[in-house]
Structures are given as C-alpha cells and as structure tokens.
Amino acid sequence: MKAVSRTAQWVAAARALESERPDALFDDPYARSLAGSAGFEIIDRLNTPISNVYFAIRTAYLDRVVLEATADGPIRQVVLMAAGMDTRALRLPLPAGLTVYELDHPELLDVKEELLSGAAPAGGVTRVPVPVDLAEPWPEALKDAGFRPGCPTVWVTEGLLYYLPEDAAHRLLTESCALSGPGSLLTGDLLNQAAITDQKARPFIKGLAEGGSPWQFGVDRPEELLASHGWQPVDVIQPGEDGTGRWPLPVVPRDKPDAPTDFLFTARTTDPLPGPPRDT
C-alpha cells in the first residue's frame, strides 16, 4: 500500500486496543485483523498514547452521528471519504436500504477486502468500495459506483482533511456539498494551525512526515471554513467537551494562541429537509 494508507492500519490498531477495554466506547471486532502487525508497529514507533485515546473518541463521535442521521428519515447514502480500515458498514446496526460508499486508494481497498475474508454487512445494507485518490478528481468515480447526486447523504471525513493539500481540502468540501441533497450532513475532524507546527510534538509530526503521511492543512475557525463551502455548522467541539469520552487533558480555550487542538464537527446543508405535507 501507499505510505499514506499505513495510517489506516495505525487507526485500526488503536480501535482494536479500545475494543478490548472493559469500558470500550465501541466494539470493532474486525480491527485487530485489519491492523495487522504494521498497525501496532506504528503505535510502538510513534509512542503517543494520547493518539489512541483521540482515535477512540473520534470513532465513537462519528459512529453516533452516522447512527442518528440514518435511523429515521430519507438519508440512505453514507460516503466514507478515505475510508481506510473503517468497518462501520459491518459493525453498526444500520437500517436496511442504506448504501455505504468507501472511497480510498485502490491498493488499500484490495488489502482490506483480503483481510475481511468475505465479511458482509447485515441484511439490507450495501457496502460499495470505490477506488480513488481523493487528492485527485473523485466525484465521477463515486457517481459511477451508484451514488445518487442530489439525495440526502452523510459524508464522513475521518482523519482526512489535514492530510490533504489545502486546495484539495477546500475542493473536497465544495464538491461534497454540490453533490448533496437537502438535509445532508458532513462530519469529521480538523486540526488547528498550531497543531501542524507545534514544537513540543515535533518528533511525532516529523515521524508522520517521514512515514509518508505529513499533516498539511490546519484551520483555526472551522465554523467559518465549513460555512464558506455551503455547510452550516451544527456541532464543533474539542475532545473533552460534551461527554466525548476519556480525554485526559484540559480542553484548550479557543482563543488561546499557539495552543494545538483538534475539532470534531458536524455540519448540514443550508437547505433543510422538506417537512410533511400540510393540510389545506
């Protein structure tokens, strides 16, 4: 696989460790197999236990968004951008009639299919791998795979935007909104600028870059970024806020300069879903 795809095995290893805790925030029975030895080697090499906690909190947060958004109503498409070793289509109790599109590098998706050994979603849920490089044009590949433009959709950008060049990140936000129908949701995570340049974390950041996965894009005002691309922010929080889990560090004040932080976010299209017909 491409070097950048190795981060998917790193996250899978962290999910495996979380799933094996007695107080786990979620259960991913596929994570250890998908991580392989490579995922645990990255955990050992980078040696940042706080990352494992963050991945667990992020996974649980995005699980909740996907489940709540698809439980009732017209949303029947979920798009996992840079799906990596994500197994939401397999492990979450998703409703029948839902299609989950998994976009990522062809090499990663090939390895993932081999490691999953034929595992399939629950009845009525369709999982569709879409081989594509998200730094390049991708909407046509998604539409060719059966995606229906203009229909309500949940877009999941987990561990993606900060790995993209800035122009590619902006383009992804614009294009996902253009493909979305009323009531669609976008959810994921972002880093601020200080996280990209934090001197205290320099060995960790350097390790990512040397492994072929440099952080490239940070933003201090995620609400403004999302709104500028047609996404109305619904929820923008930092780890440790609003019951997000076992975050062991103080929440960083948003107005504190040069303080690195992460943001978990959910935004919706500005056009609401049509309501029930009114009696006339």
Side-chain angles (χ1 to χ4, degrees):
M1 293 191 297
K2 293 184 178 181
V4 69
S5 298
R6 293 294 182 188
T7 61
Q9 291 182 286
W10 170 30
V11 176
R15 287 179 179 146
L17 295 176
E18 175 66 23
S19 298
E20 292 161 7
R21 290 178 57 106
D23 58 348
L25 299 178
F26 57 86
D27 179 34
D28 187 343
Y30 307 95
R32 184 164 283 274
S33 295
L34 292 173
S37 60
F40 292 98
E41 287 168 4
I42 294 173
I43 283 182
D44 292 339
R45 175 169 59 84
L46 294 177
N47 190 28
T48 53
I50 193 66
S51 295
N52 298 344
V53 179
Y54 174 69
F55 293 150
I57 289 172
R58 182 180 70 184
T59 298
Y61 174 88
L62 299 177
D63 282 358
R64 185 167 62 252
V65 172
V66 171
L67 285 172
E68 290 177 357
T70 59
D72 298 299
I75 294 180
R76 287 298 173 261
Q77 299 183 134
V78 174
V79 181
L80 306 178
M81 309 293 285
M85 297 302 180
D86 187 306
T87 60
R88 289 187 173 92
L90 303 175
R91 63 181 177 82
L92 293 184
L94 299 172
L98 191 74
T99 300
V100 181
Y101 298 94
E102 299 187 2
L103 280 65
D104 216 312
H105 293 289
E107 300 92 338
L108 184 148
L109 293 177
D110 288 344
V111 171
K112 184 177 183 179
E113 292 307 306
E114 181 179 346
L115 293 173
L116 284 174
S117 302
V125 176
T126 303
R127 174 176 166 264
V128 182
V130 183
V132 68
D133 185 341
L134 291 170
E136 305 294 335
W138 53 266
E140 288 305 315
L142 179 59
K143 288 186 280 188
D144 289 345
F147 177 85
R148 294 170 294 160
C151 292
T153 304
V154 177
W155 302 84
V156 181
T157 59
E158 182 175 16
L160 168 62
L161 293 170
Y162 39 88
Y163 286 108
L164 293 176
E166 183 172 351
D167 61 338
H170 284 284
R171 188 166 60 248
L172 185 148
L173 293 172
T174 297
E175 291 175 336
S176 59
C177 188
L179 290 168
S180 297
S184 294
L185 291 178
L186 173 76
T187 190
D189 61 326
L190 287 160
L191 300 177
N192 69 352
Q193 289 282 357
I196 304 292
T197 59
D198 183 28
Q199 291 303 308
K200 292 181 181 178
R202 199 66 205 154
F204 171 71
I205 296 170
K206 183 180 179 182
L208 288 176
E210 290 175 346
S213 308
W215 285 345
Q216 303 185 73
F217 177 59
V219 58
D220 293 334
R221 297 179 176 83
E223 292 90 348
E224 293 180 13
L225 171 72
L226 295 166
S228 71
H229 293 283
W231 291 103
Q232 183 65 38
V234 173
D235 188 38
V236 179
I237 61 173
Q238 296 170 247
E241 293 182 323
D242 295 344
T244 48
R246 300 184 305 271
W247 190 244
L249 303 176
V251 176
V252 177
R254 290 281 295 269
D255 58 354
K256 184 177 180 180
D258 302 323
T261 192
D262 313 84
F263 302 106
L264 300 169
F265 70 84
T266 302
R268 68 171 66 252
T269 49
T270 53
D271 294 328
L273 286 168
R278 297 180 179 179
D279 294 332
T280 57

